[in-house]
Amino acid sequence: LKRGADAARGDDTSTLKDLVATWINEHFHPPSLLKSDDKHARGFVHDVCGKLLCPSEWNWDDNRVKAGIRDRTSDYIVSENSWPLFLYENYAVKLDNLEQGLFKSKILVQAFKAVFTSPSSAREADRDGDGADILENNRRARRQLNQVKVKTCVASIINMRKVTPRSLAYVVCQVRFALSNISSWRTVDADFDYEVFWSNVVDFFENVPGPVTQQRVNHLLEWWTRY
């Protein structure tokens, strides 16, 4: 089982390494285009990847912040305890409300679709604000299966009826890794711990402080599933 899970994760990592490079180049048109087969120029050395990886409470466009992160100075340690900008709708954050737009970015929706439905379905996320539409993709997969022999999407195989905190946390970690300059998977990247980060995402949805927050979290998961 572990070998199978590791192989599946490796397949997702490889797929997203290519796709994230394509999405960054198409959306941001960076002067230095990302290569799908090379990760060494990603991470904080790349201006767009660095901006998306930057903790949301810091301003990447501030040269002091950028230099501090790249030099790993004590004031700018990037850890798993901050939400990176790539998680936010339109890749923008309101400092007085760090939850607004969180987990609603286009690249996150694209990645979720690529992993759980198909890479081609990621193209359907043509703007921020579209959910993953797991239910519709399952229905479409079943219709296609009844008509012709096709490769069934992961969501249909595992009978995914809704987007869960754990499935979302998995994709969040995969996108974070795809944006980084680390070439092979590891649990800890410099000061960033992926296992703790995964737990932080899950806790955001499952360990909520009260009914008002629970309602917001429920609405966010419904947005993802698009009932």
Side-chain angles (χ1 to χ4, degrees), residues 43-146:
F44 292 110
V45 299
H46 190 275
D47 203 51
V48 174
C49 290
K51 183 181 181 70
L52 295 178
L53 291 169
C54 182
S56 56
E57 62 267 29
W58 297 340
N59 180 11
W60 176 257
D61 295 326
D62 185 329
N63 288 329
R64 292 173 300 176
V65 172
K66 191 179 300 185
I69 290 176
R70 286 173 171 170
D71 295 337
R72 292 179 64 188
T73 62
S74 58
D75 289 334
Y76 296 103
I77 297 296
V78 178
S79 77
E80 64 281 351
N81 295 316
S82 294
W83 299 126
L85 195 64
F86 78 82
L87 296 177
Y88 285 85
E89 186 175 12
N90 297 320
Y91 313 111
V93 63
K94 292 187 66 175
L95 293 179
D96 59 346
N97 184 1
L98 291 178
E99 288 189 17
Q100 183 171 324
L102 183 60
F103 299 115
K104 297 182 75 172
S105 69
K106 178 177 179 179
I107 197 171
L108 194 56
V109 172
Q110 288 177 307
F112 197 100
K113 287 190 170 191
V115 169
F116 287 103
T117 57
S118 70
S120 61
S121 72
R123 291 194 294 268
E124 298 170 5
D126 57 356
R127 69 183 189 280
D128 286 285
D130 284 343
D133 207 353
I134 291 299
L135 294 182
E136 176 55 31
N137 278 294
N138 281 351
R139 286 191 291 266
R140 187 183 307 161
R142 285 194 293 271
R143 288 197 300 269
Q144 291 175 336
L145 194 60
N146 290 332

